[in-house]
Amino acid sequence: MLTYQELIQQMNQSMLAAEPDRVGLLCDVLDQLDHPEKQYQIMHIVGTNGKGSTGTLIGNLLINTGEKVGHFASPAIHNDREQIQLQNKMISETDFVSTYEKIIGKLTADFKMNQLSIFEWFVIIMLQYFADQGVSWAIIEAGLGGKYDATNAISAPIITIVTHVDLDHTMILGNTIKKIAYNKSDVIKPNTTVFLAPRQSQDTKNVVEQRIVERHAQSLIDTEYVDIKIDSETTNGFDLEISSHELRQTKVHLGMLGEFQLDNLKTVISLYDWLIQDGYVSNNNLIGDILKLTLSQTKIAGRMQIIQQQPTVILDAAHNPDSTKRLIESLKRIYPNQKLKFVLGFLQDKNYLEMAHLYEAVADEIVVVTPDNLQRAIPAVELHEVITNSKVVDNAQIGLSQLLTRSNLDDVIIVTGSFYTIKEVEIE
């Protein structure tokens, strides 16, 4: 039997999403496997920002109500197996290999391993693993876009969630929000209920509404109806008052930082309403208590994550201009008088020029690094030419250590720019 490391090394490491009809190939694979994804209920999540937070909150809510939940999300921070989680525990090396071998045993003799990229293998293994483990719900986040993403090979999900859509991966998805919305909304399938996260552009709304009609989806739920009032905001999160179809001026604590999380929370609350109204969970005091527990206890690695105090160190995986603006807004509001220092590392296929200028405008000090993805990273020396007052260091861990030695106790250090940058810093 192969070891996990041997199997990963043998897999095709190329990005094949841009090649024609990858989704069609994956559909053929799922046909041969008798569509394992039909054995459980699916929530499919697409969007530019907010997929991870939305998916994690919904997953934890369902787990706390007694459901068996699988969650697929990318990219991973420390271990690729983090992408496939069952009840918030990543798939074991043994289960990963045995699931792969089960799949290979069902495919035609002429099928070769390298026909699929490593990401496509993770998707297929995830779908089969969740079936084998008997999950009741699978929360599946798209990796890149929607139309050509490997997760689009699934059969019609019960729920499709479109989180905030903005400019990102423009070389692949298109250079306007309308084009990106078309790509992402391609995942909408017949009879699915579509949830549209708040604060969308009119182009995104128009495209999603058009897709729903074209694809004979069941309905559209605009999450703007959820009303959230901020009672207080601290470094421990938000104290909020929420009103929705099932909540009446309900006091909750959200243990996550960043006002952008309130948009994600509106989506989660609208799903909470839907789960009750459609009979998936019962509306009683217990479910309300479970919601409050879920919101207060959920923490998400790499999203406004404080890993140290005095000086404060924050990890945030903001990797496009939209998420960068939201991060800076949150930092200014929570730390209005503190010095802000940044460890920055970007991928060259992102709009790093705009992000660099945004950080430069608010930073007291910047060190630049080359993210741990040599194929896609912009070298730190090139980033230094954009941010001329920055210092070049070898990696994010060294950059953080140097800033710590030069910081006062009330300074704030932020490691950001890419998942591949923050993953170099140990997360507790």
Side-chain angles (χ1 to χ4, degrees), residues 292-312:
K292 292 179 182 180
L293 178 69
T294 300
L295 299 184
S296 66
Q297 291 187 344
T298 298
K299 308 290 183 183
I300 301 179
R303 274 84 166 185
M304 285 286 287
Q305 180 188 7
I306 297 176
I307 63 169
Q308 178 181 317
Q309 302 276 12
Q310 294 187 319
T312 300

Side-chain angles (χ1 to χ4, degrees), residues 384-400:
H384 173 66
E385 294 176 2
V386 177
I387 310 174
T388 54
N389 63 342
S390 65
K391 297 180 178 65
V392 176
V393 297
D394 288 342
N395 59 55
Q397 187 66 62
I398 292 174
L400 174 59

Side-chain angles (χ1 to χ4, degrees), residues 15-19 21-27 30 44-47 51 72-75 83 117 119-120 122-124 126-127 140-154 169 172-173 183-187 189:
M15 289 183 65
L16 303 177
E19 294 187 1
D21 206 24
R22 300 303 303 174
V23 173
L25 173 60
L26 292 170
C27 287
L30 291 174
H44 197 188
I45 307 180
V46 298
K51 295 190 296 291
F72 180 76
S74 62
Q83 295 173 94
S117 69
F119 181 76
E120 291 167 339
F122 265 79
V123 170
I124 297 297
M126 170 268 297
L127 295 173
I140 299 175
E141 299 176 25
L144 174 61
K147 182 175 183 178
Y148 303 114
D149 189 75
T151 64
N152 199 21
I154 62 174
H169 297 291
I172 299 173
L173 305 181
N183 188 294
K184 293 182 182 294
S185 65
D186 191 80
V187 305
K189 295 179 171 67

Side-chain angles (χ1 to χ4, degrees), residues 78-245:
H78 288 309
N79 189 311
D80 283 343
R81 289 182 290 115
E82 295 169 9
Q83 295 173 94
I84 303 174
Q85 302 225 359
L86 176 68
Q87 302 294 83
N88 287 331
K89 292 183 173 60
M90 67 179 174
I91 186 172
S92 69
E93 293 185 357
T94 300
D95 284 342
F96 188 96
V97 174
S98 62
T99 305
Y100 165 81
E101 292 184 335
K102 177 177 181 176
I103 291 167
I104 284 292
K106 291 184 176 182
L107 300 180
T108 57
D110 61 344
F111 186 87
K112 306 299 183 204
M113 173 198 279
N114 64 5
Q115 288 179 249
L116 302 184
S117 69
I118 187 170
F119 181 76
E120 291 167 339
W121 269 119
F122 265 79
V123 170
I124 297 297
I125 288 170
M126 170 268 297
L127 295 173
Q128 184 64 59
Y129 175 68
F130 288 168
D132 294 342
Q133 296 297 318
V135 304
S136 51
W137 283 96
I139 297 168
I140 299 175
E141 299 176 25
L144 174 61
K147 182 175 183 178
Y148 303 114
D149 189 75
T151 64
N152 199 21
I154 62 174
S155 302
I158 291 179
I159 297 286
T160 297
I161 301 168
V162 182
T163 65
H164 188 71
V165 175
D166 212 287
L167 296 174
D168 197 11
H169 297 291
T170 53
M171 296 294 290
I172 299 173
L173 305 181
N175 57 3
T176 67
I177 290 178
K178 186 174 183 179
K179 290 178 180 177
I180 292 174
Y182 266 115
N183 188 294
K184 293 182 182 294
S185 65
D186 191 80
V187 305
I188 294 173
K189 295 179 171 67
N191 300 316
T192 187
T193 298
V194 180
F195 287 75
L196 184 61
R199 292 211 293 177
Q200 303 281 5
S201 70
Q202 192 58 50
D203 278 342
T204 297
K205 292 180 179 180
N206 292 342
V207 168
V208 170
E209 289 169 357
Q210 178 184 338
R211 288 287 198 191
I212 286 172
V213 174
E214 292 173 349
R215 300 293 173 82
H216 305 289
Q218 189 168 8
S219 61
L220 171 65
I221 296 178
D222 190 334
T223 60
E224 294 278 9
Y225 77 88
V226 178
D227 182 59
I228 297 178
K229 291 183 173 63
I230 301 174
D231 288 338
S232 66
E233 178 184 12
T234 70
T235 55
N236 293 318
F238 294 91
D239 289 317
L240 305 168
E241 181 183 279
I242 301 177
S243 294
S244 69
H245 297 325

